Amino acid sequence: MELAMAAEELKTVVNRLRRAQGQIAGVIKMIEEGRDCEEVVTQLAAASKALDRAGFAIIATGLEHCLTDSDIAAGGDRERIRARLEKLFLSLA
């Protein structure tokens, strides 16, 4: 399956991933500085949520593009493709 997303959708996902990257860097710094556990966990939860939202955005957008006639023409069975998409979606749940 190929990831095909519109430029604006892709920009949103990349921004979320960059936000998560910054939050993870912040968590690492907080741990190295010996910061309060509650603050660290709060930032880690925020990074996790940002990653989840990026993944869900990719899947939601990808669902429109993944089940294409070209997948079927390439020997893809709709049920097998649907099962793969379902597995991807559930991996984020």
Side-chain angles (χ1 to χ4, degrees), residues 3 5 8-26 43 46-59 92:
L3 179 61
M5 297 177 74
E8 190 59 36
E9 295 163 335
L10 188 58
K11 182 180 175 184
T12 300
V13 170
V14 169
N15 285 341
R16 285 185 184 183
L17 291 172
R18 285 196 174 117
R19 187 176 313 124
Q21 183 179 32
Q23 289 168 326
I24 291 169
Q43 281 302 309
S48 178
K49 185 172 183 174
L51 289 173
D52 287 346
R53 290 186 66 152
F56 284 128
I58 289 169
I59 289 174
L92 292 172

Side-chain angles (χ1 to χ4, degrees), residues 19-86:
R19 187 176 313 124
Q21 183 179 32
Q23 289 168 326
I24 291 169
V27 168
I28 292 169
K29 185 176 178 183
M30 291 170 77
I31 291 170
E32 291 173 343
E33 293 173 350
R35 298 274 294 273
D36 180 66
C37 180
E38 187 175 344
E39 291 177 25
V40 172
V41 171
T42 298
Q43 281 302 309
L44 193 55
S48 178
K49 185 172 183 174
L51 289 173
D52 287 346
R53 290 186 66 152
F56 284 128
I58 289 169
I59 289 174
T61 302
L63 286 174
E64 297 173 349
H65 304 285
C66 288
L67 287 175
T68 65
D69 290 336
S70 63
D71 287 330
I72 304 301
D77 161 293
R78 281 193 189 273
E79 284 302 311
R80 183 180 58 78
I81 294 168
R82 192 194 69 68
R84 286 172 55 200
L85 290 170
E86 183 178 328

